[in-house]
Amino acid sequence: MVSKNQIKLITSLQQKKYRQAEDLFLAEGVKVVQELLQSNFELLHLYSIQSDFEEVAESKKTLISEGDLKKISALNTANSCLALFKIPKARETKQTGLILALDDIRDPGNLGTIIRLCDWFGIEQLVCSTTTVDLYNPKVVQASMGSISRVNVNYLDLNSFLKNSSIPVFGTFMVGKNIYTENLPQEGIIVMGNEANGISESIEQIISERLTIPRFGKLKQTESLNVATATAIILSEFRRNS
């Protein structure tokens, strides 16, 4: 059974200010929870409707009803388990290899998918503007499917970071050099912009190389690509060239 105080704590973690105050975040679903249990993330407590997760100490897990799980879940349709993890301290970003930078990404699903893409393509470092959606938003955690444990994510002053960069800075735009014909390096920072407005003007001034994904449709009337879809194409081309 889940107490009223536990329900209050868990549901409060759906908001960023309480996650920061408690240094905790929640993860839901067997796949996501298992991925995080196998990582360096520290489990605070696990709530499940099934007698599973034998690797978790009895003192750190509670068997609950489906009704109680619905009360604490951040999902529209509750999964079979929910776990609370401690938020680890962010590691310093090193300017080596390929780094992905996000300028004001607002959609949690997009950020979670982009983190998963970083994991897939071996991008170990992701830097985000301070206006980008929180890494530990439950929807981000869900969409990342455990990849948050394998990608180093930092929130920082993106302008300052890029201005002081010792490696080339690439930006993605509607007009730029064709990503499919460019000779792309193994080292650099790739900037992806806001879903509605693209890369901000202040960041655009710092970009040293403008890249675009060309449209092949006959009418060429498609306004833009989803930022996560565009990220997949861009990262794939950088890795193919390297």
Side-chain angles (χ1 to χ4, degrees):
M1 184 174 178
V2 187
S3 69
K4 288 184 179 180
N5 285 339
Q6 288 173 319
I7 293 174
K8 184 178 179 181
L9 169 64
I10 295 167
T11 55
S12 74
L13 298 178
Q14 295 181 31
Q15 298 182 53
K16 181 179 178 180
K17 63 179 180 180
Y18 293 113
R19 291 194 294 271
Q20 292 178 331
E22 300 291 341
D23 270 337
L24 295 172
F25 73 97
L26 59 90
E28 299 189 58
V30 174
K31 169 65 175 174
V32 177
V33 171
Q34 283 182 336
E35 287 274 353
L36 297 181
L37 287 174
Q38 294 168 10
S39 72
N40 293 325
F41 283 19
E42 184 179 348
L43 174 70
L44 181 70
H45 206 84
L46 170 68
Y47 301 89
S48 178
I49 62 174
Q50 300 173 347
S51 299
D52 46 12
F53 295 101
E54 295 180 0
E55 70 273 28
V56 178
E58 292 297 324
S59 61
K60 287 198 170 188
K61 62 182 178 180
T62 300
L63 187 64
I64 62 174
S65 67
E66 288 188 29
D68 278 344
L69 185 61
K70 287 180 181 178
K71 291 178 184 178
I72 60 177
S73 175
L75 304 176
N76 291 329
T77 303
N79 213 303
S80 61
C81 62
L82 179 150
L84 302 185
F85 288 91
K86 295 185 178 180
I87 294 177
K89 291 183 179 179
R91 291 173 281 123
E92 183 182 355
T93 300
K94 297 179 180 178
Q95 291 200 25
T96 57
L98 281 179
I99 300 170
L100 187 66
L102 303 182
D103 181 16
D104 194 30
I105 298 300
R106 298 297 183 93
D107 184 84
N110 281 337
L111 178 56
T113 301
I114 288 170
I115 292 170
R116 198 173 179 190
L117 287 168
C118 285
D119 192 16
W120 182 270
F121 286 106
I123 307 298
E124 297 178 355
Q125 301 185 93
L126 174 65
V127 295
C128 302
S129 66
T130 55
T131 54
T132 292
V133 62
D134 182 34
L135 164 66
Y136 296 108
N137 178 300
K139 292 180 180 178
V140 175
V141 176
Q142 188 72 17
S144 77
M145 295 299 288
S147 289
I148 59 170
S149 65
R150 293 182 290 272
V151 179
N152 183 36
V153 183
N154 271 313
Y155 287 77
L156 40 72
D157 182 331
L158 197 54
N159 286 62
S160 178
F161 177 78
L162 296 177
K163 283 179 179 177
N164 295 315
S165 171
S166 58
I167 55 180
V169 179
F170 297 85
T172 50
F173 299 89
M174 292 301 293
V175 178
K177 295 178 180 178
N178 188 333
I179 186 72
Y180 299 122
T181 57
E182 279 301 292
N183 184 20
L184 303 170
Q186 297 183 35
E187 190 170 67
I189 302 172
I190 307 163
V191 183
M192 305 300 296
N194 174 268
E195 291 91 341
N197 303 310
I199 294 173
S200 59
E201 289 184 12
S202 59
I203 297 295
E204 185 176 352
Q205 295 173 10
I206 309 170
I207 302 295
S208 53
E209 296 287 343
R210 298 170 66 100
L211 298 173
T212 192
I213 301 168
R215 291 177 288 189
F216 290 95
K218 289 183 179 179
L219 297 179
K220 295 181 172 56
Q221 291 180 346
T222 308
E223 184 178 332
S224 63
L225 285 174
N226 169 273
V227 66
T229 302
T231 300
I233 295 169
I234 295 291
L235 294 183
S236 177
E237 285 302 302
F238 267 89
R239 286 310 193 201
R240 188 174 68 87
N241 273 262
S242 65

